[in-house]
Amino acid sequence: MKYIVLAETYSELERIPSKLKKTEIIAKLFKETPANLLEAVTLLIQGRVFPSWSEKEIGVAEQLMIKAIAKSAGVSAEDVVKDYKKSGDLGLAVETLVGKKRQRTLGSEQLTVGKVFANLQAISEHSGGGSQDRKLDLIAELLSQATATEAKYIVRTVLEQLRVGVAEGLVRDAVASAYNVPVDDVENAWNLLPDFGEVAKAAKEGGEKGLKKFKLRLGTPFIVQLAEKSPSLKDAIESYKKVLLEYKYDGMRTLIHKKGEKVWLFTRNLENITAAFPDLVQLARKNIKADDCVLDGETIGLDRKTGKPVPFQQLSTRIKRKYDIEKSVEEIPIDVNLFDIVYLDGKNLMELTLEERKKCLAKSIHSVSGKFHVAEGLVTTDLKEADAFYKEALKAGEEGVIVKDLNALYVPGRRVAGGWLKVKPVMENLDVVIVGGTWGTGKRAGTIGSLHLAIRDAESGKFLECGMMGTGLKEKTQSERSSAAPRAKGATESEQDGSVTLKEMTKLLKPLVEHEAGSLVKFKPKIVIEVAYEEIQKSPTYISGFALRFPRFIRLRPDKSADEADTIERVKTLYGQQKGKK
Ligand code: AMP
């Protein structure tokens, strides 16, 4: 299969915004792809060379890419940089440079998908002394055989900047359409083995039946079960007949796969964190009695001195650590709270009830208090008892409770299955001021990409930053999307109901620009918005000393001036009220 087929598909995908059309284009590509190239094509179409859960990465910096382009186009690095500066995209730079230099000479060999994929994978194999030269050769070899269009996409793939708008959902739908199988079957198979190469191959060769045969595989992460929000503890415990309440720990979802002495660790985002947590690997090796199993749980970080849980933010510094891992092990000790088992010695336990799985879990581990044990839980349907347990969880510094149906099976997948309900204290919304932001890039250039939020210091009258928010705003107004909603005479839609589109927000902010540096921009503090958030955290990053975790846009507050925004005092009070704080 020629790489130009893929490159032309990218071009098409870039031009076409419609998801439906994109799905058709990708489905057509999959149909043309032979089984032995499905792994390569399903990854490359997403701009990947390895699945998201692989520990391998290409790891090529811009500087090296500039050298590779210069070498293959026969120009100087300065020439490449000059072109790069014009467009801000090395993909476009190489397209121009290769385009100038040559048309493909007749008879010269055309790049194949297999060759491109092999070279890109090989790039990650090289590390240490002399590796840069070898990486450069692998890229330059491809670029020197590529047409201008091919070169553009090779460069973007290597730099992990493909951006043709192909998310997992599109690939899933395209697999279903290409091989005429139900989307749900594709999704279910992918939940167990999130690798579209394998899923597509099974669909191509075995249809629905092939997909139904999918099993969890030791050493490959699956898509974990998630909890749904419940409006109240009462609602939650009334939802099931047999109820188990568990602490909702504020930590890192941890999937432990064990096969004999070999242990792998994954997060809920399929990240492989085995190397970053040697202490956890050790605990698992020592305290899991079963030979082969997969355990599900939440790991929290502990304060070395007090032994109390530290905020997730602190533990998360361990996730990305590549160096000084031993030091971080000492600095932030961990406590692993296990709450499920989904695989045991060759058997898939997802089809057992939680009650049965809990029995298997208890039998499969040695409990080590404060380090590696079953999560704190209580079986009850009595609201008073449940409430006391909930309060105990908050007092212990945890986020709340998860209420679980003891009769439910384990259902992997991003769509919520209903067997787990989370109950957390509801945080009151805050009215904050927009004081800065960043401009979007690519298609979103010229619109605001993220917003810097601030609260008011009543004493000094200053606005102190307390968080950043991806705008979460809709691209179009309701009336642009469908039939126009009736609107009060003279009022814009946003003024009427506080909703606002990205375009409208940009228009509101543009006249307020005070200062710009690159894509960063400062605004005069004028616009007040109401935001919801998950939690208030102490933070050294923001001048207010607090950070709103996961702020979400609720509505504009055109009725409020900046002087009426919420104050730092209010944030302090809310912070104090939120759980028995750490
Ligand atoms: P949220 O992140 O608020 O959607 O809550 C879901 C997350 O809570 C899960 O992904 C887990 O990481 C975490 N969690 C903490 N404790 C538990 C527990 N006992 N059972 C299940 N999930 C838990």
PDB file of all heavy atoms in Angstrom, residues 193-225:
ATOM      1  N   LEU A 193      -9.560  -4.328  24.817  1.00  0.00           N
ATOM      2  CA  LEU A 193      -8.218  -4.293  24.225  1.00  0.00           C
ATOM      3  C   LEU A 193      -8.135  -3.040  23.346  1.00  0.00           C
ATOM      4  O   LEU A 193      -8.440  -3.092  22.165  1.00  0.00           O
ATOM      5  CB  LEU A 193      -8.019  -5.551  23.375  1.00  0.00           C
ATOM      6  CG  LEU A 193      -6.596  -5.936  23.061  1.00  0.00           C
ATOM      7  CD1 LEU A 193      -5.810  -6.240  24.321  1.00  0.00           C
ATOM      8  CD2 LEU A 193      -6.588  -7.154  22.163  1.00  0.00           C
ATOM      9  N   PRO A 194      -7.751  -1.908  23.959  1.00  0.00           N
ATOM     10  CA  PRO A 194      -7.827  -0.643  23.220  1.00  0.00           C
ATOM     11  C   PRO A 194      -6.742  -0.519  22.159  1.00  0.00           C
ATOM     12  O   PRO A 194      -5.783   0.224  22.309  1.00  0.00           O
ATOM     13  CB  PRO A 194      -7.686   0.433  24.297  1.00  0.00           C
ATOM     14  CG  PRO A 194      -7.384  -0.268  25.560  1.00  0.00           C
ATOM     15  CD  PRO A 194      -7.318  -1.736  25.333  1.00  0.00           C
ATOM     16  N   ASP A 195      -6.932  -1.282  21.112  1.00  0.00           N
ATOM     17  CA  ASP A 195      -5.971  -1.309  20.026  1.00  0.00           C
ATOM     18  C   ASP A 195      -6.784  -1.503  18.740  1.00  0.00           C
ATOM     19  O   ASP A 195      -7.253  -2.605  18.455  1.00  0.00           O
ATOM     20  CB  ASP A 195      -5.025  -2.490  20.264  1.00  0.00           C
ATOM     21  CG  ASP A 195      -3.949  -2.583  19.206  1.00  0.00           C
ATOM     22  OD1 ASP A 195      -4.205  -2.138  18.073  1.00  0.00           O
ATOM     23  OD2 ASP A 195      -2.864  -3.102  19.502  1.00  0.00           O
ATOM     24  N   PHE A 196      -6.967  -0.403  17.996  1.00  0.00           N
ATOM     25  CA  PHE A 196      -7.828  -0.494  16.822  1.00  0.00           C
ATOM     26  C   PHE A 196      -7.255  -1.406  15.749  1.00  0.00           C
ATOM     27  O   PHE A 196      -7.987  -1.933  14.928  1.00  0.00           O
ATOM     28  CB  PHE A 196      -8.122   0.896  16.255  1.00  0.00           C
ATOM     29  CG  PHE A 196      -9.208   1.598  17.014  1.00  0.00           C
ATOM     30  CD1 PHE A 196      -8.968   2.781  17.684  1.00  0.00           C
ATOM     31  CD2 PHE A 196     -10.479   1.049  17.072  1.00  0.00           C
ATOM     32  CE1 PHE A 196      -9.975   3.417  18.394  1.00  0.00           C
ATOM     33  CE2 PHE A 196     -11.495   1.671  17.782  1.00  0.00           C
ATOM     34  CZ  PHE A 196     -11.239   2.851  18.443  1.00  0.00           C
ATOM     35  N   GLY A 197      -5.947  -1.595  15.753  1.00  0.00           N
ATOM     36  CA  GLY A 197      -5.341  -2.509  14.789  1.00  0.00           C
ATOM     37  C   GLY A 197      -5.940  -3.894  14.970  1.00  0.00           C
ATOM     38  O   GLY A 197      -6.419  -4.519  14.020  1.00  0.00           O
ATOM     39  N   GLU A 198      -5.929  -4.352  16.206  1.00  0.00           N
ATOM     40  CA  GLU A 198      -6.437  -5.705  16.491  1.00  0.00           C
ATOM     41  C   GLU A 198      -7.947  -5.775  16.303  1.00  0.00           C
ATOM     42  O   GLU A 198      -8.482  -6.768  15.817  1.00  0.00           O
ATOM     43  CB  GLU A 198      -6.100  -6.086  17.928  1.00  0.00           C
ATOM     44  CG  GLU A 198      -4.614  -6.067  18.174  1.00  0.00           C
ATOM     45  CD  GLU A 198      -4.134  -7.286  18.924  1.00  0.00           C
ATOM     46  OE1 GLU A 198      -4.860  -8.287  18.938  1.00  0.00           O
ATOM     47  OE2 GLU A 198      -3.027  -7.201  19.473  1.00  0.00           O
ATOM     48  N   VAL A 199      -8.632  -4.710  16.727  1.00  0.00           N
ATOM     49  CA  VAL A 199     -10.091  -4.701  16.619  1.00  0.00           C
ATOM     50  C   VAL A 199     -10.487  -4.753  15.141  1.00  0.00           C
ATOM     51  O   VAL A 199     -11.349  -5.545  14.737  1.00  0.00           O
ATOM     52  CB  VAL A 199     -10.695  -3.454  17.313  1.00  0.00           C
ATOM     53  CG1 VAL A 199     -12.193  -3.378  17.075  1.00  0.00           C
ATOM     54  CG2 VAL A 199     -10.406  -3.474  18.811  1.00  0.00           C
ATOM     55  N   ALA A 200      -9.832  -3.933  14.315  1.00  0.00           N
ATOM     56  CA  ALA A 200     -10.163  -3.888  12.886  1.00  0.00           C
ATOM     57  C   ALA A 200      -9.875  -5.238  12.220  1.00  0.00           C
ATOM     58  O   ALA A 200     -10.654  -5.728  11.399  1.00  0.00           O
ATOM     59  CB  ALA A 200      -9.373  -2.777  12.203  1.00  0.00           C
ATOM     60  N   LYS A 201      -8.770  -5.833  12.608  1.00  0.00           N
ATOM     61  CA  LYS A 201      -8.403  -7.129  12.027  1.00  0.00           C
ATOM     62  C   LYS A 201      -9.458  -8.189  12.367  1.00  0.00           C
ATOM     63  O   LYS A 201      -9.888  -8.953  11.498  1.00  0.00           O
ATOM     64  CB  LYS A 201      -7.050  -7.553  12.600  1.00  0.00           C
ATOM     65  CG  LYS A 201      -6.206  -8.307  11.630  1.00  0.00           C
ATOM     66  CD  LYS A 201      -4.791  -8.278  12.097  1.00  0.00           C
ATOM     67  CE  LYS A 201      -4.077  -9.541  11.680  1.00  0.00           C
ATOM     68  NZ  LYS A 201      -2.789  -9.661  12.311  1.00  0.00           N
ATOM     69  N   ALA A 202      -9.888  -8.178  13.635  1.00  0.00           N
ATOM     70  CA  ALA A 202     -10.901  -9.153  14.064  1.00  0.00           C
ATOM     71  C   ALA A 202     -12.207  -8.916  13.314  1.00  0.00           C
ATOM     72  O   ALA A 202     -12.879  -9.861  12.902  1.00  0.00           O
ATOM     73  CB  ALA A 202     -11.120  -9.053  15.563  1.00  0.00           C
ATOM     74  N   ALA A 203     -12.565  -7.632  13.122  1.00  0.00           N
ATOM     75  CA  ALA A 203     -13.809  -7.312  12.428  1.00  0.00           C
ATOM     76  C   ALA A 203     -13.712  -7.734  10.965  1.00  0.00           C
ATOM     77  O   ALA A 203     -14.648  -8.281  10.390  1.00  0.00           O
ATOM     78  CB  ALA A 203     -14.102  -5.822  12.541  1.00  0.00           C
ATOM     79  N   LYS A 204     -12.551  -7.485  10.355  1.00  0.00           N
ATOM     80  CA  LYS A 204     -12.354  -7.816   8.937  1.00  0.00           C
ATOM     81  C   LYS A 204     -12.409  -9.332   8.737  1.00  0.00           C
ATOM     82  O   LYS A 204     -13.054  -9.820   7.823  1.00  0.00           O
ATOM     83  CB  LYS A 204     -10.981  -7.273   8.481  1.00  0.00           C
ATOM     84  CG  LYS A 204     -10.662  -7.486   7.012  1.00  0.00           C
ATOM     85  CD  LYS A 204      -9.269  -6.927   6.714  1.00  0.00           C
ATOM     86  CE  LYS A 204      -8.809  -7.253   5.327  1.00  0.00           C
ATOM     87  NZ  LYS A 204      -9.212  -6.275   4.324  1.00  0.00           N
ATOM     88  N   GLU A 205     -11.747 -10.045   9.650  1.00  0.00           N
ATOM     89  CA  GLU A 205     -11.621 -11.487   9.428  1.00  0.00           C
ATOM     90  C   GLU A 205     -12.751 -12.306  10.035  1.00  0.00           C
ATOM     91  O   GLU A 205     -13.125 -13.341   9.514  1.00  0.00           O
ATOM     92  CB  GLU A 205     -10.263 -11.968   9.964  1.00  0.00           C
ATOM     93  CG  GLU A 205      -9.144 -11.514   9.038  1.00  0.00           C
ATOM     94  CD  GLU A 205      -7.760 -11.664   9.622  1.00  0.00           C
ATOM     95  OE1 GLU A 205      -7.657 -12.061  10.800  1.00  0.00           O
ATOM     96  OE2 GLU A 205      -6.786 -11.373   8.909  1.00  0.00           O
ATOM     97  N   GLY A 206     -13.329 -11.793  11.161  1.00  0.00           N
ATOM     98  CA  GLY A 206     -14.332 -12.634  11.839  1.00  0.00           C
ATOM     99  C   GLY A 206     -15.673 -11.959  12.050  1.00  0.00           C
ATOM    100  O   GLY A 206     -16.554 -12.548  12.679  1.00  0.00           O
ATOM    101  N   GLY A 207     -15.815 -10.710  11.576  1.00  0.00           N
ATOM    102  CA  GLY A 207     -17.085  -9.981  11.737  1.00  0.00           C
ATOM    103  C   GLY A 207     -17.499  -9.884  13.202  1.00  0.00           C
ATOM    104  O   GLY A 207     -16.651  -9.823  14.090  1.00  0.00           O
ATOM    105  N   GLU A 208     -18.833  -9.881  13.427  1.00  0.00           N
ATOM    106  CA  GLU A 208     -19.362  -9.766  14.792  1.00  0.00           C
ATOM    107  C   GLU A 208     -18.791 -10.835  15.709  1.00  0.00           C
ATOM    108  O   GLU A 208     -18.429 -10.580  16.846  1.00  0.00           O
ATOM    109  CB  GLU A 208     -20.883  -9.936  14.745  1.00  0.00           C
ATOM    110  CG  GLU A 208     -21.630  -8.637  14.673  1.00  0.00           C
ATOM    111  CD  GLU A 208     -23.127  -8.887  14.617  1.00  0.00           C
ATOM    112  OE1 GLU A 208     -23.725  -9.210  15.666  1.00  0.00           O
ATOM    113  OE2 GLU A 208     -23.688  -8.760  13.534  1.00  0.00           O
ATOM    114  N   LYS A 209     -18.724 -12.053  15.175  1.00  0.00           N
ATOM    115  CA  LYS A 209     -18.230 -13.186  15.979  1.00  0.00           C
ATOM    116  C   LYS A 209     -16.802 -12.933  16.438  1.00  0.00           C
ATOM    117  O   LYS A 209     -16.449 -13.190  17.586  1.00  0.00           O
ATOM    118  CB  LYS A 209     -18.265 -14.463  15.147  1.00  0.00           C
ATOM    119  CG  LYS A 209     -19.520 -15.264  15.356  1.00  0.00           C
ATOM    120  CD  LYS A 209     -19.264 -16.687  14.861  1.00  0.00           C
ATOM    121  CE  LYS A 209     -20.584 -17.366  14.600  1.00  0.00           C
ATOM    122  NZ  LYS A 209     -20.499 -18.262  13.462  1.00  0.00           N
ATOM    123  N   GLY A 210     -16.001 -12.443  15.525  1.00  0.00           N
ATOM    124  CA  GLY A 210     -14.600 -12.159  15.831  1.00  0.00           C
ATOM    125  C   GLY A 210     -14.487 -11.147  16.963  1.00  0.00           C
ATOM    126  O   GLY A 210     -13.649 -11.281  17.860  1.00  0.00           O
ATOM    127  N   LEU A 211     -15.342 -10.139  16.923  1.00  0.00           N
ATOM    128  CA  LEU A 211     -15.279  -9.084  17.950  1.00  0.00           C
ATOM    129  C   LEU A 211     -15.739  -9.618  19.306  1.00  0.00           C
ATOM    130  O   LEU A 211     -15.227  -9.223  20.350  1.00  0.00           O
ATOM    131  CB  LEU A 211     -16.153  -7.902  17.539  1.00  0.00           C
ATOM    132  CG  LEU A 211     -15.640  -7.095  16.350  1.00  0.00           C
ATOM    133  CD1 LEU A 211     -16.651  -6.034  15.946  1.00  0.00           C
ATOM    134  CD2 LEU A 211     -14.302  -6.436  16.676  1.00  0.00           C
ATOM    135  N   LYS A 212     -16.699 -10.518  19.281  1.00  0.00           N
ATOM    136  CA  LYS A 212     -17.238 -11.042  20.550  1.00  0.00           C
ATOM    137  C   LYS A 212     -16.202 -11.887  21.291  1.00  0.00           C
ATOM    138  O   LYS A 212     -16.326 -12.124  22.483  1.00  0.00           O
ATOM    139  CB  LYS A 212     -18.505 -11.865  20.277  1.00  0.00           C
ATOM    140  CG  LYS A 212     -19.675 -11.002  19.797  1.00  0.00           C
ATOM    141  CD  LYS A 212     -20.865 -11.095  20.734  1.00  0.00           C
ATOM    142  CE  LYS A 212     -21.849  -9.961  20.618  1.00  0.00           C
ATOM    143  NZ  LYS A 212     -22.553  -9.852  19.348  1.00  0.00           N
ATOM    144  N   LYS A 213     -15.205 -12.356  20.539  1.00  0.00           N
ATOM    145  CA  LYS A 213     -14.195 -13.234  21.168  1.00  0.00           C
ATOM    146  C   LYS A 213     -13.162 -12.440  21.965  1.00  0.00           C
ATOM    147  O   LYS A 213     -12.289 -13.023  22.586  1.00  0.00           O
ATOM    148  CB  LYS A 213     -13.467 -14.023  20.079  1.00  0.00           C
ATOM    149  CG  LYS A 213     -14.233 -15.231  19.615  1.00  0.00           C
ATOM    150  CD  LYS A 213     -13.316 -16.101  18.778  1.00  0.00           C
ATOM    151  CE  LYS A 213     -14.115 -16.847  17.735  1.00  0.00           C
ATOM    152  NZ  LYS A 213     -13.449 -16.936  16.461  1.00  0.00           N
ATOM    153  N   PHE A 214     -13.239 -11.117  21.919  1.00  0.00           N
ATOM    154  CA  PHE A 214     -12.190 -10.314  22.563  1.00  0.00           C
ATOM    155  C   PHE A 214     -12.102 -10.554  24.050  1.00  0.00           C
ATOM    156  O   PHE A 214     -13.106 -10.650  24.746  1.00  0.00           O
ATOM    157  CB  PHE A 214     -12.421  -8.831  22.297  1.00  0.00           C
ATOM    158  CG  PHE A 214     -11.578  -8.352  21.170  1.00  0.00           C
ATOM    159  CD1 PHE A 214     -11.777  -8.841  19.894  1.00  0.00           C
ATOM    160  CD2 PHE A 214     -10.564  -7.439  21.390  1.00  0.00           C
ATOM    161  CE1 PHE A 214     -10.983  -8.428  18.844  1.00  0.00           C
ATOM    162  CE2 PHE A 214      -9.771  -7.016  20.345  1.00  0.00           C
ATOM    163  CZ  PHE A 214      -9.979  -7.513  19.069  1.00  0.00           C
ATOM    164  N   LYS A 215     -10.871 -10.623  24.528  1.00  0.00           N
ATOM    165  CA  LYS A 215     -10.623 -10.833  25.952  1.00  0.00           C
ATOM    166  C   LYS A 215      -9.612  -9.823  26.438  1.00  0.00           C
ATOM    167  O   LYS A 215      -8.800  -9.325  25.671  1.00  0.00           O
ATOM    168  CB  LYS A 215     -10.005 -12.219  26.162  1.00  0.00           C
ATOM    169  CG  LYS A 215     -10.974 -13.338  26.060  1.00  0.00           C
ATOM    170  CD  LYS A 215     -10.325 -14.580  26.656  1.00  0.00           C
ATOM    171  CE  LYS A 215     -11.104 -15.808  26.271  1.00  0.00           C
ATOM    172  NZ  LYS A 215     -10.422 -16.683  25.360  1.00  0.00           N
ATOM    173  N   LEU A 216      -9.669  -9.581  27.731  1.00  0.00           N
ATOM    174  CA  LEU A 216      -8.655  -8.745  28.359  1.00  0.00           C
ATOM    175  C   LEU A 216      -7.291  -9.457  28.222  1.00  0.00           C
ATOM    176  O   LEU A 216      -7.239 -10.689  28.248  1.00  0.00           O
ATOM    177  CB  LEU A 216      -9.078  -8.660  29.812  1.00  0.00           C
ATOM    178  CG  LEU A 216      -8.344  -7.842  30.827  1.00  0.00           C
ATOM    179  CD1 LEU A 216      -9.372  -7.445  31.878  1.00  0.00           C
ATOM    180  CD2 LEU A 216      -7.256  -8.602  31.477  1.00  0.00           C
ATOM    181  N   ARG A 217      -6.249  -8.690  28.028  1.00  0.00           N
ATOM    182  CA  ARG A 217      -4.939  -9.323  27.876  1.00  0.00           C
ATOM    183  C   ARG A 217      -3.982  -8.795  28.949  1.00  0.00           C
ATOM    184  O   ARG A 217      -3.858  -7.570  29.107  1.00  0.00           O
ATOM    185  CB  ARG A 217      -4.390  -9.015  26.491  1.00  0.00           C
ATOM    186  CG  ARG A 217      -3.083  -9.715  26.214  1.00  0.00           C
ATOM    187  CD  ARG A 217      -2.497  -9.300  24.892  1.00  0.00           C
ATOM    188  NE  ARG A 217      -3.340  -9.662  23.765  1.00  0.00           N
ATOM    189  CZ  ARG A 217      -3.225  -9.114  22.567  1.00  0.00           C
ATOM    190  NH1 ARG A 217      -2.328  -8.187  22.348  1.00  0.00           N
ATOM    191  NH2 ARG A 217      -4.020  -9.477  21.586  1.00  0.00           N
ATOM    192  N   LEU A 218      -3.316  -9.691  29.646  1.00  0.00           N
ATOM    193  CA  LEU A 218      -2.367  -9.243  30.670  1.00  0.00           C
ATOM    194  C   LEU A 218      -1.273  -8.403  30.017  1.00  0.00           C
ATOM    195  O   LEU A 218      -0.737  -8.792  28.980  1.00  0.00           O
ATOM    196  CB  LEU A 218      -1.735 -10.449  31.370  1.00  0.00           C
ATOM    197  CG  LEU A 218      -2.643 -11.202  32.333  1.00  0.00           C
ATOM    198  CD1 LEU A 218      -1.918 -12.402  32.922  1.00  0.00           C
ATOM    199  CD2 LEU A 218      -3.127 -10.290  33.453  1.00  0.00           C
ATOM    200  N   GLY A 219      -0.985  -7.263  30.611  1.00  0.00           N
ATOM    201  CA  GLY A 219       0.056  -6.392  30.076  1.00  0.00           C
ATOM    202  C   GLY A 219      -0.473  -5.328  29.141  1.00  0.00           C
ATOM    203  O   GLY A 219       0.269  -4.440  28.732  1.00  0.00           O
ATOM    204  N   THR A 220      -1.753  -5.418  28.774  1.00  0.00           N
ATOM    205  CA  THR A 220      -2.386  -4.364  27.966  1.00  0.00           C
ATOM    206  C   THR A 220      -3.542  -3.785  28.779  1.00  0.00           C
ATOM    207  O   THR A 220      -4.379  -4.540  29.271  1.00  0.00           O
ATOM    208  CB  THR A 220      -2.939  -4.945  26.642  1.00  0.00           C
ATOM    209  OG1 THR A 220      -1.865  -5.603  25.980  1.00  0.00           O
ATOM    210  CG2 THR A 220      -3.484  -3.853  25.753  1.00  0.00           C
ATOM    211  N   PRO A 221      -3.584  -2.457  28.930  1.00  0.00           N
ATOM    212  CA  PRO A 221      -4.635  -1.892  29.778  1.00  0.00           C
ATOM    213  C   PRO A 221      -6.001  -1.997  29.113  1.00  0.00           C
ATOM    214  O   PRO A 221      -6.083  -2.139  27.902  1.00  0.00           O
ATOM    215  CB  PRO A 221      -4.232  -0.426  29.896  1.00  0.00           C
ATOM    216  CG  PRO A 221      -3.461  -0.147  28.664  1.00  0.00           C
ATOM    217  CD  PRO A 221      -2.743  -1.411  28.323  1.00  0.00           C
ATOM    218  N   PHE A 222      -7.050  -1.950  29.894  1.00  0.00           N
ATOM    219  CA  PHE A 222      -8.408  -1.910  29.351  1.00  0.00           C
ATOM    220  C   PHE A 222      -9.047  -0.602  29.802  1.00  0.00           C
ATOM    221  O   PHE A 222      -8.479   0.129  30.612  1.00  0.00           O
ATOM    222  CB  PHE A 222      -9.224  -3.128  29.801  1.00  0.00           C
ATOM    223  CG  PHE A 222      -9.369  -3.216  31.295  1.00  0.00           C
ATOM    224  CD1 PHE A 222     -10.485  -2.686  31.933  1.00  0.00           C
ATOM    225  CD2 PHE A 222      -8.383  -3.800  32.071  1.00  0.00           C
ATOM    226  CE1 PHE A 222     -10.616  -2.754  33.312  1.00  0.00           C
ATOM    227  CE2 PHE A 222      -8.511  -3.862  33.455  1.00  0.00           C
ATOM    228  CZ  PHE A 222      -9.628  -3.338  34.078  1.00  0.00           C
ATOM    229  N   ILE A 223     -10.240  -0.317  29.277  1.00  0.00           N
ATOM    230  CA  ILE A 223     -10.929   0.923  29.645  1.00  0.00           C
ATOM    231  C   ILE A 223     -11.725   0.647  30.918  1.00  0.00           C
ATOM    232  O   ILE A 223     -12.641  -0.173  30.899  1.00  0.00           O
ATOM    233  CB  ILE A 223     -11.873   1.385  28.513  1.00  0.00           C
ATOM    234  CG1 ILE A 223     -11.139   1.413  27.173  1.00  0.00           C
ATOM    235  CG2 ILE A 223     -12.483   2.739  28.824  1.00  0.00           C
ATOM    236  CD1 ILE A 223     -10.072   2.442  27.030  1.00  0.00           C
ATOM    237  N   VAL A 224     -11.379   1.305  31.984  1.00  0.00           N
ATOM    238  CA  VAL A 224     -11.940   0.937  33.287  1.00  0.00           C
ATOM    239  C   VAL A 224     -13.397   1.361  33.440  1.00  0.00           C
ATOM    240  O   VAL A 224     -13.889   2.215  32.701  1.00  0.00           O
ATOM    241  CB  VAL A 224     -11.128   1.573  34.438  1.00  0.00           C
ATOM    242  CG1 VAL A 224      -9.714   1.039  34.454  1.00  0.00           C
ATOM    243  CG2 VAL A 224     -11.153   3.095  34.375  1.00  0.00           C
ATOM    244  N   GLN A 225     -14.047   0.772  34.435  1.00  0.00           N
ATOM    245  CA  GLN A 225     -15.416   1.183  34.766  1.00  0.00           C
ATOM    246  C   GLN A 225     -15.361   2.546  35.454  1.00  0.00           C
ATOM    247  O   GLN A 225     -14.453   2.845  36.229  1.00  0.00           O
ATOM    248  CB  GLN A 225     -16.055   0.154  35.716  1.00  0.00           C
ATOM    249  CG  GLN A 225     -17.386   0.638  36.255  1.00  0.00           C
ATOM    250  CD  GLN A 225     -18.334  -0.484  36.678  1.00  0.00           C
ATOM    251  OE1 GLN A 225     -18.003  -1.658  36.578  1.00  0.00           O
ATOM    252  NE2 GLN A 225     -19.508  -0.107  37.139  1.00  0.00           N
TER     253      GLN A 225
END
